[in-house]
Amino acid sequence: MHSTTLLKNVVAASSLYNELVMAEVYEELGVASEPRTVSAGRRPVMEIAGVPHELIGWMAQRGQEIDLCRQELEYEYVTAVDEDGNLRFAPVVSEEARTKLNRIAARKTRPPKPGARSLVQLRTDWRASAKEFLGEAAHLVDELLERARAAAAAIRAQVADTLDVALAALGVSAMVFVMSSNGLFHRRHLLAEPRRFLALVQRGRRREPGLDDEIVNAAIVAHCLDVTEPKTTRGLLADYRLYTTHWPTPTRPAPAGAHRKRPPTPTTGPRPASPPRTVRPCRGSGTSRASRCATTARSSPSPPSPTNCAPRAARDAPAITRASSRTSRPRCPNNSSSSLTPTPRSQRGSRRTTWRGCGCCGRRVPGRTYRT
């Protein structure tokens, strides 16, 4: 495994890590998990059931500082203007911009690192800080484990023992397709979603091994379409296959290059006349520009014959012979046998002539003459 593969699978690995940690806590302490919405419009996070949200907020003071700083940065982002009074950035903060602003806020509000402390000292400090934060409800800290176990017993009675794999595969396919930017996804994207779904459904209980792979395989077989065009041997592997959903939807993007297709050329009707073509002047030396090479314009082609517009039977008649209406191109004055014959060295005396190519015909013509 290298860094590129690890980075591509970091979402699926993170979902698996959260699921395994909650299963360990479930088995060790006998508690359960419940979803809690932290930010509106985002996925819920799994927390230990029975723990007061105020106590969770006390542990999330660092996150609250980052959120306040990010909100200030977002206001500066949407109101920043340049010298002309125009907005420097977008009027609305995108998800990508919000992620970058969140990193900036985390760096700006990062406190200095405290000194090293033992686990016993950390627990003592945490208990004292939590009681101080709760105030009159400080007794909840001592009763925290009992409250969590009572909430877990109520949740455990509502969790089903079996799971509908087909229904889970349908929900996973729909969620991944909606969350993808262009409707295309890989198997690793499908694998991350069942792990989030199982953490939400199992509520901390350890699932059967391989259940996430079973849901992914069912989703690929029933609801996904392989659109891969492998160009290498690695592209043939299952982890590199590209999928999309097979059901019709108006949000599916158009095929690549569809907007570049030209309309079909009509086969009937008169042909449009081509524009006149011009000939660039020759860049010869030794004579004036007008005498070096004349610029002529090719006359436009003659209008199409009526037989081109006639039916097929009429077009089978003998073709009408037409003389070409193009004018003959004047010959380049440099393109002569006399100009191509260099002067013998015995007749040059103290002068020397350089040679170069003609810009019209490409032949060698005399250029600059200088005294040796």
Side-chain angles (χ1 to χ4, degrees), residues 8 26 45 62-63 68 78 90 120 161 168 178-179 216 218 222 237 252 259 271 278 285 344 356:
K8 290 180 178 180
Y26 176 90
V45 296
R62 170 78 175 126
L68 292 176
V78 298
V120 177
D161 295 334
V178 171
M179 296 300 295
V216 170
L237 301 178
R252 176 169 296 177
H259 62 282
R271 296 183 181 179
T278 58
S285 62
R356 65 179 187 83

PDB file of all heavy atoms in Angstrom, residues 8 26 45 62-63 68 78 90 120 161 168 178-179 216 218 222 237 252 259 271 278 285 344 356:
ATOM      1  N   LYS A   8      -6.922   7.610  -1.342  1.00  0.00           N
ATOM      2  CA  LYS A   8      -8.179   7.329  -2.032  1.00  0.00           C
ATOM      3  C   LYS A   8      -9.164   6.583  -1.136  1.00  0.00           C
ATOM      4  O   LYS A   8     -10.375   6.775  -1.250  1.00  0.00           O
ATOM      5  CB  LYS A   8      -7.913   6.516  -3.297  1.00  0.00           C
ATOM      6  CG  LYS A   8      -7.222   7.297  -4.406  1.00  0.00           C
ATOM      7  CD  LYS A   8      -7.012   6.411  -5.618  1.00  0.00           C
ATOM      8  CE  LYS A   8      -6.351   7.191  -6.760  1.00  0.00           C
ATOM      9  NZ  LYS A   8      -6.134   6.330  -7.951  1.00  0.00           N
ATOM     10  N   TYR A  26     -19.037  -0.659  23.033  1.00  0.00           N
ATOM     11  CA  TYR A  26     -20.294  -1.352  23.288  1.00  0.00           C
ATOM     12  C   TYR A  26     -20.050  -2.634  24.098  1.00  0.00           C
ATOM     13  O   TYR A  26     -20.777  -2.931  25.063  1.00  0.00           O
ATOM     14  CB  TYR A  26     -20.962  -1.669  21.955  1.00  0.00           C
ATOM     15  CG  TYR A  26     -22.237  -2.465  22.053  1.00  0.00           C
ATOM     16  CD1 TYR A  26     -23.471  -1.835  22.169  1.00  0.00           C
ATOM     17  CD2 TYR A  26     -22.218  -3.866  21.997  1.00  0.00           C
ATOM     18  CE1 TYR A  26     -24.647  -2.565  22.257  1.00  0.00           C
ATOM     19  CE2 TYR A  26     -23.378  -4.604  22.078  1.00  0.00           C
ATOM     20  CZ  TYR A  26     -24.592  -3.950  22.205  1.00  0.00           C
ATOM     21  OH  TYR A  26     -25.757  -4.688  22.297  1.00  0.00           O
ATOM     22  N   VAL A  45     -23.591  12.481  13.450  1.00  0.00           N
ATOM     23  CA  VAL A  45     -22.461  11.769  14.044  1.00  0.00           C
ATOM     24  C   VAL A  45     -23.002  10.842  15.130  1.00  0.00           C
ATOM     25  O   VAL A  45     -24.047  11.102  15.728  1.00  0.00           O
ATOM     26  CB  VAL A  45     -21.422  12.748  14.627  1.00  0.00           C
ATOM     27  CG1 VAL A  45     -20.814  13.589  13.524  1.00  0.00           C
ATOM     28  CG2 VAL A  45     -22.047  13.642  15.683  1.00  0.00           C
ATOM     29  N   ARG A  62     -13.191  23.316  21.816  1.00  0.00           N
ATOM     30  CA  ARG A  62     -12.228  23.613  20.758  1.00  0.00           C
ATOM     31  C   ARG A  62     -12.941  23.751  19.408  1.00  0.00           C
ATOM     32  O   ARG A  62     -12.660  24.653  18.627  1.00  0.00           O
ATOM     33  CB  ARG A  62     -11.191  22.494  20.715  1.00  0.00           C
ATOM     34  CG  ARG A  62     -10.273  22.545  19.518  1.00  0.00           C
ATOM     35  CD  ARG A  62      -9.202  23.585  19.690  1.00  0.00           C
ATOM     36  NE  ARG A  62      -8.268  23.543  18.580  1.00  0.00           N
ATOM     37  CZ  ARG A  62      -7.943  24.579  17.835  1.00  0.00           C
ATOM     38  NH1 ARG A  62      -8.490  25.751  18.079  1.00  0.00           N
ATOM     39  NH2 ARG A  62      -7.081  24.470  16.863  1.00  0.00           N
ATOM     40  N   GLY A  63     -13.901  22.866  19.146  1.00  0.00           N
ATOM     41  CA  GLY A  63     -14.647  22.952  17.899  1.00  0.00           C
ATOM     42  C   GLY A  63     -15.505  24.201  17.826  1.00  0.00           C
ATOM     43  O   GLY A  63     -15.683  24.784  16.748  1.00  0.00           O
ATOM     44  N   LEU A  68     -16.672  29.621  15.388  1.00  0.00           N
ATOM     45  CA  LEU A  68     -16.823  31.075  15.482  1.00  0.00           C
ATOM     46  C   LEU A  68     -15.807  31.787  14.601  1.00  0.00           C
ATOM     47  O   LEU A  68     -16.139  32.757  13.899  1.00  0.00           O
ATOM     48  CB  LEU A  68     -16.676  31.519  16.944  1.00  0.00           C
ATOM     49  CG  LEU A  68     -17.792  31.074  17.899  1.00  0.00           C
ATOM     50  CD1 LEU A  68     -17.461  31.508  19.331  1.00  0.00           C
ATOM     51  CD2 LEU A  68     -19.133  31.637  17.472  1.00  0.00           C
ATOM     52  N   VAL A  78     -17.081  36.655   1.696  1.00  0.00           N
ATOM     53  CA  VAL A  78     -18.166  37.082   0.798  1.00  0.00           C
ATOM     54  C   VAL A  78     -18.239  38.602   0.669  1.00  0.00           C
ATOM     55  O   VAL A  78     -18.948  39.119  -0.220  1.00  0.00           O
ATOM     56  CB  VAL A  78     -19.525  36.541   1.298  1.00  0.00           C
ATOM     57  CG1 VAL A  78     -19.518  35.027   1.282  1.00  0.00           C
ATOM     58  CG2 VAL A  78     -19.843  37.059   2.693  1.00  0.00           C
ATOM     59  N   ALA A  90     -16.370  34.488  -4.541  1.00  0.00           N
ATOM     60  CA  ALA A  90     -17.771  34.207  -4.867  1.00  0.00           C
ATOM     61  C   ALA A  90     -18.694  34.799  -3.803  1.00  0.00           C
ATOM     62  O   ALA A  90     -18.309  34.927  -2.632  1.00  0.00           O
ATOM     63  CB  ALA A  90     -17.992  32.700  -4.984  1.00  0.00           C
ATOM     64  N   VAL A 120      -3.920   9.224  34.896  1.00  0.00           N
ATOM     65  CA  VAL A 120      -4.620   9.463  36.168  1.00  0.00           C
ATOM     66  C   VAL A 120      -4.838  10.953  36.384  1.00  0.00           C
ATOM     67  O   VAL A 120      -5.920  11.395  36.798  1.00  0.00           O
ATOM     68  CB  VAL A 120      -3.812   8.836  37.328  1.00  0.00           C
ATOM     69  CG1 VAL A 120      -4.483   9.141  38.671  1.00  0.00           C
ATOM     70  CG2 VAL A 120      -3.675   7.329  37.143  1.00  0.00           C
ATOM     71  N   ASP A 161     -32.789  -7.946  14.709  1.00  0.00           N
ATOM     72  CA  ASP A 161     -31.721  -8.941  14.656  1.00  0.00           C
ATOM     73  C   ASP A 161     -31.282  -9.246  13.231  1.00  0.00           C
ATOM     74  O   ASP A 161     -30.169  -9.739  13.017  1.00  0.00           O
ATOM     75  CB  ASP A 161     -32.200 -10.236  15.328  1.00  0.00           C
ATOM     76  CG  ASP A 161     -32.467 -10.036  16.821  1.00  0.00           C
ATOM     77  OD1 ASP A 161     -31.843  -9.122  17.406  1.00  0.00           O
ATOM     78  OD2 ASP A 161     -33.300 -10.780  17.360  1.00  0.00           O
ATOM     79  N   ALA A 168     -30.896  -2.365   1.861  1.00  0.00           N
ATOM     80  CA  ALA A 168     -29.681  -1.606   2.170  1.00  0.00           C
ATOM     81  C   ALA A 168     -28.880  -1.299   0.912  1.00  0.00           C
ATOM     82  O   ALA A 168     -28.325  -0.201   0.766  1.00  0.00           O
ATOM     83  CB  ALA A 168     -28.826  -2.394   3.166  1.00  0.00           C
ATOM     84  N   VAL A 178     -26.227  10.275  -5.436  1.00  0.00           N
ATOM     85  CA  VAL A 178     -26.600  11.662  -5.159  1.00  0.00           C
ATOM     86  C   VAL A 178     -25.404  12.456  -4.642  1.00  0.00           C
ATOM     87  O   VAL A 178     -25.206  13.627  -5.003  1.00  0.00           O
ATOM     88  CB  VAL A 178     -27.768  11.702  -4.153  1.00  0.00           C
ATOM     89  CG1 VAL A 178     -28.036  13.125  -3.688  1.00  0.00           C
ATOM     90  CG2 VAL A 178     -29.025  11.119  -4.775  1.00  0.00           C
ATOM     91  N   MET A 179     -24.573  11.853  -3.828  1.00  0.00           N
ATOM     92  CA  MET A 179     -23.445  12.557  -3.238  1.00  0.00           C
ATOM     93  C   MET A 179     -22.296  12.749  -4.216  1.00  0.00           C
ATOM     94  O   MET A 179     -21.456  13.632  -4.012  1.00  0.00           O
ATOM     95  CB  MET A 179     -22.934  11.803  -2.005  1.00  0.00           C
ATOM     96  CG  MET A 179     -23.929  11.728  -0.860  1.00  0.00           C
ATOM     97  SD  MET A 179     -24.419  13.369  -0.250  1.00  0.00           S
ATOM     98  CE  MET A 179     -22.866  13.948   0.412  1.00  0.00           C
ATOM     99  N   VAL A 216     -22.314  -4.189  -0.721  1.00  0.00           N
ATOM    100  CA  VAL A 216     -21.708  -3.557  -1.891  1.00  0.00           C
ATOM    101  C   VAL A 216     -21.880  -4.429  -3.123  1.00  0.00           C
ATOM    102  O   VAL A 216     -22.231  -3.943  -4.213  1.00  0.00           O
ATOM    103  CB  VAL A 216     -20.228  -3.254  -1.624  1.00  0.00           C
ATOM    104  CG1 VAL A 216     -19.519  -2.825  -2.900  1.00  0.00           C
ATOM    105  CG2 VAL A 216     -20.097  -2.174  -0.572  1.00  0.00           C
ATOM    106  N   ALA A 218     -24.195  -6.648  -3.686  1.00  0.00           N
ATOM    107  CA  ALA A 218     -25.601  -6.632  -4.088  1.00  0.00           C
ATOM    108  C   ALA A 218     -25.957  -5.328  -4.787  1.00  0.00           C
ATOM    109  O   ALA A 218     -26.747  -5.323  -5.749  1.00  0.00           O
ATOM    110  CB  ALA A 218     -26.492  -6.838  -2.860  1.00  0.00           C
ATOM    111  N   ALA A 222     -27.340  -5.243  -8.675  1.00  0.00           N
ATOM    112  CA  ALA A 222     -28.743  -4.887  -8.877  1.00  0.00           C
ATOM    113  C   ALA A 222     -28.943  -3.471  -9.384  1.00  0.00           C
ATOM    114  O   ALA A 222     -29.899  -3.216 -10.140  1.00  0.00           O
ATOM    115  CB  ALA A 222     -29.519  -5.082  -7.566  1.00  0.00           C
ATOM    116  N   LEU A 237      -8.857  -4.271 -12.568  1.00  0.00           N
ATOM    117  CA  LEU A 237      -9.137  -4.731 -11.215  1.00  0.00           C
ATOM    118  C   LEU A 237     -10.474  -4.190 -10.737  1.00  0.00           C
ATOM    119  O   LEU A 237     -10.958  -3.149 -11.191  1.00  0.00           O
ATOM    120  CB  LEU A 237      -8.018  -4.301 -10.269  1.00  0.00           C
ATOM    121  CG  LEU A 237      -6.614  -4.812 -10.618  1.00  0.00           C
ATOM    122  CD1 LEU A 237      -5.600  -4.278  -9.620  1.00  0.00           C
ATOM    123  CD2 LEU A 237      -6.576  -6.336 -10.650  1.00  0.00           C
ATOM    124  N   ARG A 252     -28.520  12.864 -14.798  1.00  0.00           N
ATOM    125  CA  ARG A 252     -27.319  12.180 -15.274  1.00  0.00           C
ATOM    126  C   ARG A 252     -26.600  13.043 -16.298  1.00  0.00           C
ATOM    127  O   ARG A 252     -27.219  13.585 -17.211  1.00  0.00           O
ATOM    128  CB  ARG A 252     -27.673  10.835 -15.901  1.00  0.00           C
ATOM    129  CG  ARG A 252     -26.486  10.108 -16.509  1.00  0.00           C
ATOM    130  CD  ARG A 252     -26.836   8.697 -16.856  1.00  0.00           C
ATOM    131  NE  ARG A 252     -27.154   7.932 -15.659  1.00  0.00           N
ATOM    132  CZ  ARG A 252     -27.551   6.657 -15.694  1.00  0.00           C
ATOM    133  NH1 ARG A 252     -27.679   6.029 -16.843  1.00  0.00           N
ATOM    134  NH2 ARG A 252     -27.817   6.023 -14.584  1.00  0.00           N
ATOM    135  N   HIS A 259     -21.384  17.675 -26.540  1.00  0.00           N
ATOM    136  CA  HIS A 259     -21.612  19.052 -26.966  1.00  0.00           C
ATOM    137  C   HIS A 259     -20.738  19.445 -28.141  1.00  0.00           C
ATOM    138  O   HIS A 259     -20.945  20.506 -28.730  1.00  0.00           O
ATOM    139  CB  HIS A 259     -21.333  19.995 -25.786  1.00  0.00           C
ATOM    140  CG  HIS A 259     -19.906  19.927 -25.315  1.00  0.00           C
ATOM    141  ND1 HIS A 259     -19.441  18.887 -24.521  1.00  0.00           N
ATOM    142  CD2 HIS A 259     -18.847  20.743 -25.537  1.00  0.00           C
ATOM    143  CE1 HIS A 259     -18.154  19.091 -24.265  1.00  0.00           C
ATOM    144  NE2 HIS A 259     -17.776  20.201 -24.858  1.00  0.00           N
ATOM    145  N   ARG A 271     -25.443  24.078 -52.776  1.00  0.00           N
ATOM    146  CA  ARG A 271     -24.278  24.197 -51.914  1.00  0.00           C
ATOM    147  C   ARG A 271     -23.930  25.662 -51.705  1.00  0.00           C
ATOM    148  O   ARG A 271     -23.985  26.454 -52.642  1.00  0.00           O
ATOM    149  CB  ARG A 271     -23.086  23.490 -52.552  1.00  0.00           C
ATOM    150  CG  ARG A 271     -23.293  22.000 -52.707  1.00  0.00           C
ATOM    151  CD  ARG A 271     -22.043  21.377 -53.283  1.00  0.00           C
ATOM    152  NE  ARG A 271     -22.210  19.946 -53.458  1.00  0.00           N
ATOM    153  CZ  ARG A 271     -21.275  19.155 -53.962  1.00  0.00           C
ATOM    154  NH1 ARG A 271     -20.118  19.675 -54.364  1.00  0.00           N
ATOM    155  NH2 ARG A 271     -21.496  17.863 -54.063  1.00  0.00           N
ATOM    156  N   THR A 278      -7.361  34.501 -50.862  1.00  0.00           N
ATOM    157  CA  THR A 278      -6.290  35.419 -51.261  1.00  0.00           C
ATOM    158  C   THR A 278      -4.957  34.732 -51.127  1.00  0.00           C
ATOM    159  O   THR A 278      -4.795  33.784 -50.359  1.00  0.00           O
ATOM    160  CB  THR A 278      -6.310  36.677 -50.388  1.00  0.00           C
ATOM    161  OG1 THR A 278      -6.159  36.292 -49.016  1.00  0.00           O
ATOM    162  CG2 THR A 278      -7.626  37.437 -50.552  1.00  0.00           C
ATOM    163  N   SER A 285      13.662  39.682 -52.211  1.00  0.00           N
ATOM    164  CA  SER A 285      14.442  40.898 -51.987  1.00  0.00           C
ATOM    165  C   SER A 285      15.055  41.342 -53.308  1.00  0.00           C
ATOM    166  O   SER A 285      15.189  40.580 -54.251  1.00  0.00           O
ATOM    167  CB  SER A 285      15.551  40.640 -50.966  1.00  0.00           C
ATOM    168  OG  SER A 285      16.441  39.670 -51.459  1.00  0.00           O
ATOM    169  N   PRO A 344      30.143  33.424 -60.504  1.00  0.00           N
ATOM    170  CA  PRO A 344      31.421  32.753 -60.202  1.00  0.00           C
ATOM    171  C   PRO A 344      32.270  33.603 -59.252  1.00  0.00           C
ATOM    172  O   PRO A 344      32.204  34.835 -59.237  1.00  0.00           O
ATOM    173  CB  PRO A 344      32.077  32.605 -61.579  1.00  0.00           C
ATOM    174  CG  PRO A 344      30.936  32.700 -62.544  1.00  0.00           C
ATOM    175  CD  PRO A 344      29.933  33.607 -61.960  1.00  0.00           C
ATOM    176  N   ARG A 356      19.285  33.105 -49.531  1.00  0.00           N
ATOM    177  CA  ARG A 356      18.186  32.756 -48.622  1.00  0.00           C
ATOM    178  C   ARG A 356      17.040  32.170 -49.436  1.00  0.00           C
ATOM    179  O   ARG A 356      17.069  32.201 -50.670  1.00  0.00           O
ATOM    180  CB  ARG A 356      17.694  33.987 -47.857  1.00  0.00           C
ATOM    181  CG  ARG A 356      17.060  35.044 -48.748  1.00  0.00           C
ATOM    182  CD  ARG A 356      16.574  36.214 -47.897  1.00  0.00           C
ATOM    183  NE  ARG A 356      15.823  37.146 -48.713  1.00  0.00           N
ATOM    184  CZ  ARG A 356      14.541  37.029 -49.037  1.00  0.00           C
ATOM    185  NH1 ARG A 356      13.885  35.948 -48.617  1.00  0.00           N
ATOM    186  NH2 ARG A 356      13.918  37.917 -49.774  1.00  0.00           N
TER     187      ARG A 356
END
